[in-house]
Amino acid sequence: MKKIGFLSFGHWSDHSAYKTRTASDTLLQSIDLAVAAEEIGLDGAYFRVHHFAAQLGSPFPLLSAIGAKTSKIEMGTGVIDMRYENPLYMVEEAGAADLISGGRLQLGISRGSPEQVIDGWRYFGYDPAEGEDDDAMGRRKALEFLDKLKGVGFAQPNPYPMFPNPPGLLRLEPHSEGLRERIWWGAASNATAVWAAENGMNLQSSTLKYDESGKPFHVQQAEQIRMYKEAWKQAGQQREPRVSVSRSVFALVTDQDRYYFGQEANRVDKIGIIENDKRTIFGRSYAAEPDQLIKELAQDEAIQEADTLLLTIPNTLGVDYNVHVLSAILEHVAPGLGWR
């Protein structure tokens, strides 16, 4: 068995071919898609977070709305760039969203990826501390977020408060018990995957990672996951960790599918440079008739290592078509791989 969710990039544009012409379209359709995904038996609804872009930037209102309109499906992010965040305020937002959903939040965070503007986090009022770079700042904020999620008091109460205080130091409210164990780290390298394990976070591994061996993408990603699991064990963590990988997977079952994605059938891994001259490997897309798709996915080592698969979706094609895309995987592909 494997948990299967969708991952939406949340694009919108005033384009004739788009079903998402505005931010409102994308937000409302994201809620509708999560509701529909729960109805067909999908396990998760996840959303990318990007700033200064025509994409979803502030996830908590959306996640809260989904939590209020669903009852079973997990909802989360992949990922929140911690360089842009106030960790304490984020604890309050995440706690509220998790309580609204009844404890279904699965929050992916990370140092962050290349953004639309140069050092965008500076516009949000944040600068690295002396001796830090922005990578270290993001990780420091992540650790502070994790610490405050524990719900332990740390703030000295006012001796003359507006409302009576409980005894002792005060914590942030609302506190959601168990949320600390549902935080995931998006790792692009083997080292940061190990760091995530040492700090008790689940692992999100995307469709790209730093090319650290020259091996095929899925092999490198599988090695990263195994290193993470070993580091988790060595760190003495007391629960079973979760690991997700994301993939673009399309079962070609209609002429419309073949029109949209038939050209994806021969995709291979690609090499590129994303930032600081770091060589990066990008995983291939999968698009084929269901029987062939089952054979190809069975050879993907990283998918086999993960307990959760996030299917990247073309959100601009609208709710109905994306429900069809997801339903095709659940009906025609997942059973053949033992995922259902």
Side-chain angles (χ1 to χ4, degrees):
M1 299 293 289
K2 195 179 295 292
K3 288 184 179 294
I4 303 174
F6 72 77
L7 175 62
S8 173
F9 283 63
H11 292 288
W12 70 84
S13 177
D14 188 16
H15 188 286
S16 60
Y18 279 25
K19 301 290 187 182
T20 51
R21 301 285 188 89
T22 67
S24 177
D25 290 340
T26 294
L27 287 163
L28 295 175
Q29 288 184 32
S30 296
I31 297 168
D32 290 343
L33 180 58
V35 171
E38 179 175 88
E39 291 173 351
I40 65 173
L42 211 69
D43 301 299
Y46 288 72
F47 301 90
R48 289 291 300 269
V49 179
H50 284 289
H51 304 288
F52 299 105
Q55 295 174 251
L56 300 169
S58 179
F60 292 107
L62 173 61
L63 297 173
S64 296
I66 291 171
K69 296 197 73 171
T70 58
S71 60
K72 295 180 295 183
I73 197 169
E74 295 177 344
M75 67 222 52
T77 52
V79 292
I80 296 174
D81 186 335
M82 292 303 296
R83 295 174 298 179
Y84 286 79
E85 296 298 321
N86 177 320
L88 273 62
Y89 186 57
M90 187 172 164
V91 167
E92 295 179 343
E93 291 186 301
D98 194 45
L99 290 169
I100 288 170
S101 74
R104 290 180 283 131
L105 195 62
Q106 302 285 342
L107 209 58
I109 64 174
S110 187
R111 186 276 294 179
S113 59
E115 292 290 310
Q116 297 299 105
V117 301
I118 298 171
D119 294 349
W121 29 271
R122 294 189 189 277
Y123 295 96
F124 279 54
Y126 302 117
D127 289 294
E130 186 175 352
E132 277 187 332
D133 59 13
D134 62 296
D135 289 19
M137 177 178 70
R139 286 190 287 270
R140 171 174 55 80
K141 288 186 172 190
L143 293 178
E144 184 173 8
F145 174 65
L146 294 174
D147 181 63
K148 298 303 185 289
L149 278 176
K150 296 175 183 176
V152 177
F154 64 94
Q156 189 69 39
N158 186 344
Y160 306 104
M162 181 178 295
F163 307 105
N165 281 323
L169 300 177
L170 301 184
R171 68 183 185 184
L172 294 167
E173 300 288 356
H175 172 68
S176 185
E177 191 69 34
L179 178 56
R180 169 63 180 82
E181 296 186 352
R182 286 179 273 115
I183 306 302
W184 306 59
W185 184 260
S189 69
N190 294 342
T192 51
V194 169
W195 180 83
E198 292 170 345
N199 286 283
M201 287 181 280
N202 300 318
L203 177 67
Q204 284 186 344
S205 196
S206 183
T207 52
L208 65 86
K209 71 178 296 293
Y210 296 141
D211 185 8
E212 299 180 81
S213 69
K215 297 177 183 178
F217 170 77
H218 74 101
V219 175
Q220 291 199 49
Q221 191 175 49
E223 291 174 347
Q224 179 196 48
I225 294 169
R226 287 191 284 268
M227 290 177 66
Y228 165 82
K229 290 178 179 178
E230 180 59 27
W232 184 276
K233 180 180 177 181
Q234 292 297 323
Q237 308 291 1
Q238 296 302 304
R239 62 179 176 86
E240 284 297 314
R242 288 185 60 184
V243 176
S244 74
V245 296
S246 56
R247 292 289 186 274
S248 296
V249 182
F250 301 98
L252 305 181
V253 297
T254 68
D255 288 341
Q256 189 177 29
D257 299 332
R258 298 180 187 95
Y259 173 77
Y260 281 138
F261 302 109
Q263 71 277 9
E264 304 272 346
N266 295 318
R267 283 286 182 95
V268 295
D269 293 346
K270 293 183 178 179
I271 299 295
I273 303 294
I274 54 171
E275 61 178 348
N276 299 327
D277 297 324
K278 290 181 179 177
R279 179 181 166 96
T280 303
I281 186 166
F282 299 80
R284 56 162 295 190
S285 299
Y286 291 92
E289 303 292 328
D291 289 347
Q292 179 62 26
L293 202 54
I294 290 170
K295 293 177 183 178
E296 293 179 5
L297 291 171
Q299 302 303 312
D300 191 310
E301 291 185 21
I303 292 179
Q304 306 311 315
E305 289 284 346
D307 60 81
T308 301
L309 174 63
L310 301 182
L311 301 169
T312 61
I313 59 165
N315 78 284
T316 58
L317 296 181
V319 174
D320 290 343
Y321 184 70
N322 279 291
V323 171
H324 159 73
V325 167
L326 298 169
S327 296
I329 299 298
L330 292 180
E331 180 178 352
H332 300 291
V333 178
L337 289 161
W339 298 347
R340 283 293 187 270

